[in-house]
Amino acid sequence: MWRLATPVFGYVLVVDALALVAVLATSALVPVTTQSVLWCGLILAGEIVHLEAAQRIERIRELAADGRPHMHLQSIWIFAGLLLLPPPLATLVIVVSYAHSWVRVYKRRGVIHRKVFSGATVILACFAAGAVLSAGTGHMAPYVPYLDGFGGMTALLLSGIVYFGLNYVLVILAIVMSNPGKPPRQAFGNPSDVLIVLAAVGVGCGIALVMTVRPWLLPVLMVTPVALHIGLLLPQFQAAARTDSKTALLAPEFWVQLARNELARAAELSSTAGVLMIDLDHFKAIDDGNGHLAGDEVLRAIAAAIQSSVRSGDYVGRFGGDEFVVLLPGATSAEIVSIADRIRTAIARTEVPVPVIRPGKPEVIDGLTASIGAAVYPETATEYTILLQAADDAVFAAKAAGRDRVVLAGPHTELLRPEIPDVL
């Protein structure tokens, strides 16, 4: 924590201090009764069982969320505690929840000040949401008996929005301040992740209601949080299967699947489609001369340059090694050549800082070029394999002609691959 930049360090201390002030200021507002202690015990038991059942899934999700807000399902139990418990016991649920997560999910390897800060943001969010519920119902916790009719529903919805919104904003600010070199939009994460917190709030409301009416039904509801956890992990597995880990482009198998589907659709609609095969010039020399780490950085930079040069509906994939492929649905020959030349220009302008500088080697790799082969459906070929082969042959023709250029494959002809004397 002491190595944090001064603004971030100050921000973290202020949020932690505000949470502590909020806890002390509300500690005597609502008396702690035997009933509230029983509810607190049930909520803590449910939280512990839930996280123990899903700890491996949660560990994968937390690692995948690095640099973005982690939308977790602990909010199920935290929001249930907000609706039922006096502030000291609601705080206890938050503290136990985050401490349990640090021990069992992070295995004590995480940076503990991050967990403390996250817990502080949730404490502030809970007390702000509690203020909304108090204003809406005219009562203090437990709020569930007074959440009736349209007014109760409105107060509950507003409290959920405040709970999520305040927590989200506080965390986003910390991420942005901690990563000044990264685009702020990356800190917002996936917009669909908002549904995770909304689902957690909804399930938390159900658990709070069941606990006030039929507490013995709580074990039945335990299936829901675990099922939600498994469902949350499936999209990450799907994304991993579809994405090249090194460049974040489409994986070869998934790109081929999309390409075949798009060509079938083009046939049905009597439309066109283009395929680009992009091969970096002299990449082996770059990789051998500067090291594999530098080579990986070059691949990532080239992938970003290609992605920024295509249209929003185009599919960019890594085909293997230093080869990339682009599918251009609905593009004409002129559009395909224009996009390919835009990609070639973007690659030529790319400068890549070297992560590990070798003696006598530059700190920045520039002067990159690529040979691009283009093929058009149905002008060049009407079958996927032949179309891709034509684009690949056009790459070799571009290299033979001097590299750093675009070659468009002719109609229904196979380009001969000439011998190329130096390194590809």
Side-chain angles (χ1 to χ4, degrees):
M1 181 174 176
W2 302 106
R3 291 194 296 268
L4 293 174
T6 301
V8 183
F9 181 80
Y11 176 70
V12 169
L13 283 185
V14 167
V15 171
D16 290 348
L18 287 175
L20 182 60
V21 169
V23 170
L24 295 176
T26 58
S27 60
L29 288 180
V30 181
V32 177
T33 64
T34 303
Q35 179 68 71
S36 63
V37 171
L38 176 61
W39 282 339
C40 182
L42 289 174
I43 290 174
L44 289 176
E47 183 276 328
I48 291 171
V49 171
H50 171 203
L51 191 58
E52 286 297 314
Q55 60 168 298
R56 293 186 179 180
I57 298 174
E58 192 65 8
R59 188 176 304 124
I60 295 172
R61 293 190 63 246
E62 289 222 32
L63 289 173
D66 186 39
R68 303 187 307 275
H70 172 51
M71 307 295 185
H72 54 69
L73 289 177
Q74 290 168 281
S75 293
I76 291 175
W77 309 102
I78 292 171
F79 202 77
L82 166 66
L83 294 175
L84 291 175
L85 305 178
L89 294 183
T91 302
L92 178 63
V93 170
I94 297 171
V95 171
V96 171
S97 179
Y98 275 88
H100 185 202
S101 174
W102 185 66
V103 172
R104 296 295 290 161
V105 175
Y106 273 93
K107 301 294 184 181
R108 298 187 180 92
R109 293 191 296 266
V111 182
I112 193 169
H113 79 262
R114 293 183 181 178
K115 279 294 179 185
V116 173
F117 173 78
S118 297
T121 65
V122 173
I123 288 173
L124 292 175
C126 278
F127 289 145
V132 173
L133 288 169
S134 295
T137 62
H139 295 82
M140 302 296 290
Y143 302 106
V144 174
Y146 310 105
L147 294 173
D148 195 17
F150 181 78
M153 181 191 70
T154 303
L156 184 61
L157 289 175
L158 288 177
S159 68
I161 293 171
V162 170
Y163 170 80
F164 167 74
L166 181 57
N167 185 18
Y168 187 70
V169 169
L170 291 174
V171 172
I172 288 293
L173 286 175
I175 294 174
V176 172
M177 292 172 66
S178 301
N179 301 276
K182 295 183 179 180
R185 65 179 180 276
Q186 291 185 3
F188 289 87
N190 192 333
S192 64
D193 288 344
V194 174
L195 295 175
I196 297 173
V197 177
L198 296 180
V201 168
V203 175
C205 292
I207 287 176
L209 180 61
V210 167
M211 289 178 62
T212 58
V213 182
R214 297 288 187 272
W216 54 271
L217 286 175
L218 184 60
V220 179
L221 286 182
M222 286 300 302
V223 177
T224 304
V226 177
L228 283 174
H229 248 120
I230 296 173
L232 290 175
L233 195 57
L234 288 177
Q236 294 187 23
F237 284 150
Q238 291 173 343
R242 296 174 177 177
T243 307
D244 174 64
S245 59
K246 188 167 293 185
T247 62
L249 299 178
L250 297 178
E253 297 81 3
F254 187 55
W255 185 90
V256 169
Q257 177 187 337
L258 290 176
R260 291 183 181 276
N261 293 343
E262 283 294 340
L263 291 179
R265 182 179 302 172
E268 292 176 1
L269 301 177
S270 298
S271 183
T272 61
V275 170
L276 300 179
M277 181 75 74
I278 305 165
D279 196 324
L280 297 183
D281 297 326
H282 308 297
F283 178 74
K284 189 175 187 303
I286 295 173
D287 204 29
D288 293 344
N290 298 275
H292 294 304
L293 293 178
D296 290 347
E297 289 298 323
V298 168
L299 291 177
R300 279 188 278 270
I302 295 301
I306 296 172
Q307 190 72 69
S308 65
S309 303
V310 299
R311 304 169 304 175
S312 59
D314 298 333
Y315 303 109
V316 182
R318 185 184 179 200
F319 207 65
D322 59 336
E323 289 185 320
F324 301 87
V325 282
V326 182
L327 179 68
L328 308 161
T332 63
S333 298
E335 290 173 329
I336 292 167
V337 172
S338 175
I339 293 171
D341 199 58
R342 191 160 66 228
I343 293 171
R344 185 191 61 80
T345 302
I347 291 174
R349 293 174 178 171
T350 300
E351 297 182 348
V352 186
V354 179
V356 178
I357 302 171
R358 291 186 170 185
K361 296 296 181 179
E363 298 181 6
V364 176
I365 298 175
D366 56 9
L368 299 167
T369 62
S371 299
I372 303 177
V376 187
Y377 172 91
E379 180 182 331
T380 304
T382 57
E383 200 273 323
Y384 164 79
T385 303
I386 299 175
L387 189 70
L388 193 67
Q389 183 67 57
D392 197 27
D393 290 339
V395 169
F396 278 82
K399 288 183 177 295
R403 297 183 172 85
D404 191 23
R405 65 194 62 227
V406 177
V407 170
L408 179 64
H412 301 281
T413 59
E414 181 179 352
L415 295 171
L416 296 178
R417 298 190 177 191
E419 293 295 328
I420 302 174
D422 51 352
V423 180
L424 293 177

